[in-house]
Amino acid sequence: MGDLILVRHGETEWTLTGRHTSWTDLPLTRHGEEQAKSLAPFFAGQSFAQVFTSPLDRAVRTAELAGLTGLVSDPDLHEWDYGSYEGITTRSIHRTRPDWVLWEDGVPPGPDGHPGESPQEVGERADRVLSRVDAALQNHPGDVVLVAHAHFLRVLTARRLGLPADAGRLFQLSTGTVSRLSTEHGHPVIAEWNATGTSAPVR
């Protein structure tokens, strides 16, 4: 059975400034586009069981610039719904809530359609994605690629490793990177993490 490859989208203006970015559909910066293009060697000459992307443009564009094809949009790959903290930095939040931690406290509700999510709710979405990943890995040869967002992919990694959703705090993930989740003796492991376009290809 193949592996699970995780791709975090390239840089946006809000990732530069540390603003929480969920449903706000920002484009990649010029540097973000270059980050995405630099990932192409990871995928050149490979065929994949499936390539799933978040529906947001910054993820889809990253996948396209990295040379991935046959993209399938999956709404469960959407970034953590930050509720009323959308567009706000952690530093700003700490001015009124100095002890706030996303991984413990979640977020307060935002505008209509954006109630915010707890770590456990994001974990439930990640589990649904992993069920589809497992089906793809069983039914088709090759690896499965997910192109999505930092906090969501960190939660998904925790769940893949059998950890609670809030253990995603342990896995820092930079923009424009590739990571690989594999198995060793039948158990899930991190085979590579946070690799950039200047790193050696994953395989």
Side-chain angles (χ1 to χ4, degrees):
M1 192 165 69
D3 291 342
L4 178 53
I5 301 173
L6 311 180
V7 181
R8 184 186 175 190
H9 66 75
E11 177 192 271
T12 70
E13 289 294 340
W14 281 14
T15 59
L16 276 173
T17 55
R19 297 169 71 179
H20 288 91
T21 319
S22 178
W23 68 84
T24 305
D25 207 0
L26 296 173
L28 300 178
T29 62
R30 181 174 296 180
H31 178 60
E33 291 187 346
E34 292 303 317
Q35 286 179 314
K37 292 175 184 176
S38 76
L39 300 181
F42 286 103
F43 308 115
Q46 295 192 58
S47 59
F48 299 100
Q50 193 72 69
V51 180
F52 295 105
T53 72
S54 160
L56 294 172
D57 182 69
R58 58 189 182 272
V60 175
R61 184 64 175 149
T62 296
E64 292 171 343
L65 291 173
L68 292 163
T69 59
L71 311 181
V72 176
S73 180
D74 187 337
D76 277 333
L77 283 171
H78 199 286
E79 179 60 299
W80 193 316
D81 185 333
Y82 297 123
S84 63
Y85 287 163
E86 178 79 359
I88 308 298
T89 66
T90 298
R91 177 176 293 183
S92 295
I93 296 166
H94 282 168
R95 291 181 185 136
T96 55
R97 296 183 65 185
D99 298 325
W100 176 78
V101 177
L102 175 67
W103 300 99
E104 298 171 4
D105 303 315
V107 294
D112 287 347
H114 299 290
E117 288 181 299
S118 67
Q120 293 72 32
E121 288 170 326
V122 181
E124 290 171 3
R125 284 199 286 119
D127 288 346
R128 292 197 296 267
V129 171
L130 289 171
S131 293
R132 291 190 281 277
V133 165
D134 286 337
L137 288 172
Q138 291 169 6
N139 295 323
H140 305 282
D143 301 329
V144 170
V145 182
L146 304 180
V147 187
H149 313 272
H151 278 135
F152 179 81
L153 290 175
R154 292 168 68 176
V155 170
L156 181 137
T157 296
R159 297 301 300 138
R160 189 60 159 181
L161 298 176
L163 302 172
D166 62 7
R169 73 178 75 199
L170 302 174
F171 310 113
Q172 186 181 57
L173 195 58
S174 302
T175 55
T177 54
V178 175
S179 302
R180 180 181 289 271
L181 304 182
S182 187
T183 57
E184 184 177 56
H185 307 303
H187 299 285
V189 296
I190 297 174
E192 187 155 1
W193 192 257
N194 232 17
T196 66
T198 60
S199 305
V202 176
R203 277 188 177 173

